[in-house]
Amino acid sequence: MSPALQRLIERRLLIVIGKGGTGKTTIAAALGTLAARHGAETAVIEVSEESALRSLLASELELPAEQRQPVEIAPHLYLMCIAPKVALQEYLELHVPVRRLARAIIHNPAFGAFLDAAPGWRELITLGKIWHLEQQTRAGRPRYDLLIVDAPATGHGLSFLSVPGVVVDSVRLGPLRRHTDSVWELLRDPERTLLLPVSQPEELPVKETLELYERLRALGLRAGAPIANGVESSPAIADVDSVLSALSEIPAESSVSRLSEPSALAGAVRHRLSRARLQRQFIEKLRLGCGSPPLELPYLAEAIAGPEGVGRLADALESALDCAADWA
């Protein structure tokens, strides 16, 4: 196991965050797969209702309607989708003497209307459930070695992570403050928690990632080095100029199809070179803005649509970590 992977697995909580469409969810799934391969009891956690992680990791799996614990989907690998109302009912059952009363509170229409009007409770109760999972033990040791959270996309993700700080600043006493303190302490502890921003080497994702770093620093949250996803390599041609020159001398009528026309081949090579150079510029921008070189994951031509595709990405992730001794 590489030192970089060892440092990741030794933490208790990894929160994968980034702009929508950058591959954030697939990377969360690949991280979970990789950690489980190395024997870490790993729970991958979804906090939205889209079930994207389930389709990637266990498409045939039917999760319980009121899921309270991660479900094992492979050796050492667990999956959970946190539903805020289920987590809230579980919280009330822990603090209300009569379990039936907790259920009655949750299903009371007036209480439901109050919740609909109350900002931030879903985020707070979801983070509280994550903290509760981190605290669970079995036979005197943590029940889960590692929790990996697929956070909402950047804008909502920042709101999601900032709610405990808002509560700590505005609520001085009582159970809500005590429990929120514990959640906020977990999120801000760099020994236990690391945020992993995911970007792509393109203008808008890089711009949003740099803004994300600034916002996370302002919240007092520790972000690791970024992950640059979908990096395309330059054509593996020793002397590109000579190849392009040779292509220009081949008569067009010698082509067997339009795809093999010398001008089309030369155009494809130039496009690949130009795109690779542009991506290097954005990767350098990430490095300078974040203060650390990004972990580069290659562009995979085949779609990642299930466990097999996630496994390929996990292979690429492990290879990248093997070459990144100082990453994270």
Side-chain angles (χ1 to χ4, degrees):
M1 185 189 306
S2 69
L5 178 57
Q6 183 69 42
R7 286 195 296 273
L8 282 180
I9 292 179
E10 284 176 349
R11 284 194 168 83
R12 301 284 293 122
L13 175 61
L14 301 178
I15 301 176
V16 186
I17 188 170
K19 179 178 171 59
T22 58
K24 170 181 64 68
T25 299
T26 55
I27 287 174
L31 278 167
T33 299
L34 184 55
R37 281 181 188 173
H38 287 274
E41 298 295 314
T42 305
V44 185
I45 299 170
E46 192 162 45
V47 296
S48 72
E49 298 178 358
E50 296 176 358
S51 297
L53 276 172
R54 183 173 64 84
S55 65
L56 286 169
L57 290 171
S59 55
E60 302 301 319
L61 178 68
E62 285 294 331
L63 293 175
E66 293 191 359
Q67 188 183 11
R68 297 191 176 199
Q69 289 294 324
V71 173
E72 188 169 13
I73 57 175
H76 309 296
L77 184 62
Y78 301 78
L79 176 64
M80 181 170 192
C81 180
I82 296 179
K85 277 198 173 180
V86 175
L88 179 59
Q89 180 175 323
E90 184 181 8
Y91 174 81
L92 290 175
E93 287 172 0
L94 291 172
H95 296 90
V96 175
V98 182
R99 183 169 182 170
R100 187 182 300 174
L101 178 58
R103 180 176 288 272
I105 292 172
I106 287 292
H107 294 285
N108 182 282
F111 186 70
F114 168 76
L115 289 179
D116 290 340
W121 76 266
R122 292 174 180 82
E123 291 83 357
L124 187 60
I125 202 68
T126 299
L127 288 167
K129 176 61 179 179
I130 293 168
W131 172 85
H132 181 65
L133 291 170
E134 192 267 341
Q135 293 290 301
Q136 288 182 6
T137 59
R138 185 172 65 179
R141 54 161 293 141
R143 174 66 184 85
Y144 305 102
D145 297 313
L146 180 64
L147 304 174
I148 299 174
V149 176
D150 177 25
T154 305
H156 185 196
L158 283 166
S159 300
F160 173 74
L161 293 169
S162 65
V163 166
V166 173
V167 173
V168 167
D169 288 341
S170 57
V171 179
R172 299 301 175 190
L173 299 170
L176 177 61
R177 172 58 190 263
R178 290 196 302 274
H179 298 151
T180 304
D181 277 341
S182 299
V183 173
W184 198 222
E185 180 184 345
L186 171 63
L187 291 179
R188 301 183 77 179
D189 182 352
E191 298 298 319
R192 291 190 290 167
T193 299
L194 183 68
L195 278 83
L196 296 177
V198 176
S199 186
Q200 286 181 330
E202 298 174 7
E203 183 175 3
L204 287 179
V206 168
K207 181 176 183 292
E208 194 164 305
T209 301
L210 296 179
E211 292 171 353
L212 171 64
Y213 266 84
E214 292 300 318
R215 295 283 302 277
L216 291 174
R217 289 188 191 109
L219 290 172
L221 299 176
R222 162 80 189 282
I227 297 173
N229 191 28
V231 178
E232 298 180 28
S233 59
S234 295
I237 301 173
D239 189 346
V240 174
D241 291 335
S242 297
V243 171
L244 291 174
S245 176
L247 284 171
S248 68
E249 295 174 4
I250 300 174
E253 57 270 18
S254 65
S255 304
V256 296
S257 72
R258 291 190 62 186
L259 289 177
S260 67
E261 288 180 6
S263 61
L265 291 172
V269 171
R270 290 192 180 96
H271 173 77
R272 185 75 176 269
L273 286 169
S274 173
R275 182 161 175 79
R277 280 194 293 265
L278 185 60
Q279 286 195 337
R280 296 318 310 173
Q281 292 174 16
F282 286 122
I283 289 171
E284 178 64 8
K285 207 169 189 176
L286 270 178
R287 184 188 71 80
L288 293 173
C290 301
S292 302
L295 184 74
E296 298 181 28
L297 296 184
Y299 171 77
L300 300 180
E302 294 183 54
I304 298 175
E308 185 178 342
V310 170
R312 292 197 305 273
L313 184 59
D315 293 339
L317 179 60
E318 183 158 26
S319 296
L321 288 167
D322 287 344
C323 301
D326 297 331
W327 187 78

